[in-house]
Amino acid sequence: SKDKTTGRILHIYRNHEFDEMMLVVQFLRDKGLLTGSMDGTVVDVGGYLGMSSTAFLLEDVFERAIAFEPSPDNYRLLELNVRNNHLQNRLRAFNMALSDENSELLFELSNKNFGDHRIRHGESATEGHFDEDKRNVIRVSACRFDDFLERSPEINQDEIRLVWMDIQGHEARFLRGAHGFLTRHSDVPVMMEFWPYAIRRSGIDKNEFSELVSGMFNKFYAFEESDFHRHDIDSIGDYFDKHDDPDGGSAIMLTNIEMDYEQKR
């Protein structure tokens, strides 16, 4: 593609943030949440070109993957990536966004980073730090994850081991739409990009985000400087303030599983 950012990185280095992904895998294995061989299913929310889901499968971390990508162009390349890596029997891809409603949503298109396309909140955009209001916009299909699972009985929910998510600030909307699944499967961790600037642009403020995740999880692990740091979920508001800058953010794992990582090091 003509993606000047993530696509360029993939073209030159043949992977994107692979070492960081494997650190997450090792952390989950150390905690007994993953085995040392192919295990269960990963849900890749914001699949882009499949750079995460295909890597997980090619490394035999998971047996299967389910990827969701709303961009028609990215989805076409995702399907091509699956075929080129002979993963048709292990990776199912869906051309849709996961949100808190079943509808069509406005989708802003970045002209230089095709991994930074974003769901637009409302029918018009306010001026943004990255000129989001000037982006071309299309409409994409969106679905609640709970409703997707209800109409997909062939998917064994008990085999889902991890939700891997990077959807440019729309993460809280996904969590709302996946409330039923995440409540029934409280042992499934959610690894997500945490970008307060983009979360607020999705129409979710700090208090709403804090209330939402506090009602579903009891702790989070911040992945910073190639290491995990445990925080009680009640401190997510302070963490939101710490990274509330257009260029701020980190990766966090939301979970209910007690993992005494620091004591084992």
Side-chain angles (χ1 to χ4, degrees), residues 76-237:
R76 176 180 58 82
L77 295 173
L78 167 58
E79 286 194 309
L80 181 61
N81 199 7
V82 171
R83 292 196 300 271
N84 284 347
N85 285 286
H86 310 291
L87 294 171
Q88 297 94 319
N89 295 327
R90 297 176 62 193
L91 197 161
R92 294 184 63 189
F94 297 88
N95 187 200
M96 66 173 67
L98 292 180
S99 186
D100 55 357
E101 57 182 294
N102 302 320
S103 64
E104 283 194 340
L105 299 176
L106 295 180
F107 195 54
E108 303 172 343
L109 303 178
S110 170
N111 63 4
K112 66 177 182 178
N113 182 358
F114 299 171
D116 189 37
H117 299 335
R118 301 186 216 161
I119 298 293
R120 174 174 289 183
H121 177 59
E123 291 296 317
S124 61
T126 56
E127 184 177 352
H129 181 78
F130 302 100
D131 293 329
E132 295 93 336
D133 53 306
K134 299 179 177 62
R135 291 182 173 186
N136 291 329
V137 176
I138 62 173
R139 290 188 177 272
V140 297
S141 174
C143 180
R144 298 173 69 252
F145 189 55
D146 286 340
D147 294 327
F148 169 83
L149 291 173
E150 184 175 349
R151 69 187 191 213
S152 306
E154 73 280 5
I155 294 176
N156 188 340
Q157 300 180 34
D158 295 335
E159 291 185 352
I160 295 175
R161 300 286 182 264
L162 174 67
V163 174
W164 182 270
M165 176 166 53
D166 184 353
I167 48 177
Q168 306 304 100
H170 207 70
E171 288 81 7
R173 301 286 183 179
F174 165 83
L175 293 173
R176 280 182 176 174
H179 184 271
F181 167 78
L182 292 171
T183 300
R184 293 189 305 271
H185 298 82
S186 58
D187 59 333
V188 175
V190 175
M191 190 72 197
M192 58 169 276
E193 179 188 49
F194 182 70
W195 187 13
Y197 166 81
I199 292 172
R200 285 192 291 101
R201 286 193 66 82
S202 78
I204 304 292
D205 63 24
K206 178 183 74 172
N207 293 334
E208 289 177 288
F209 184 82
S210 300
E211 183 178 355
L212 174 65
V213 298
S214 296
M216 302 171 70
F217 305 95
N218 58 32
K219 67 180 71 63
F220 70 97
Y221 287 83
F223 184 60
E224 298 176 323
E225 299 177 354
S226 300
D227 206 351
F228 285 90
H229 304 271
R230 184 191 186 282
H231 301 267
D232 291 332
I233 201 66
D234 292 342
S235 66
I236 193 70

Side-chain angles (χ1 to χ4, degrees), residues 62-77:
F62 298 97
E63 186 174 357
R64 287 170 296 278
I66 308 170
F68 298 86
E69 172 54 47
S71 162
D73 289 336
N74 287 349
Y75 179 75
R76 176 180 58 82
L77 295 173

Side-chain angles (χ1 to χ4, degrees), residues 30-62:
D30 288 344
K31 301 301 140 194
L33 295 180
L34 287 179
T35 65
S37 58
M38 285 195 297
D39 182 21
T41 300
V42 59
V43 177
D44 186 8
V45 187
Y48 186 46
L49 311 182
M51 58 193 184
S52 298
S53 50
T54 58
F56 281 136
L57 297 185
L58 292 171
E59 291 295 311
D60 289 335
V61 176
F62 298 97

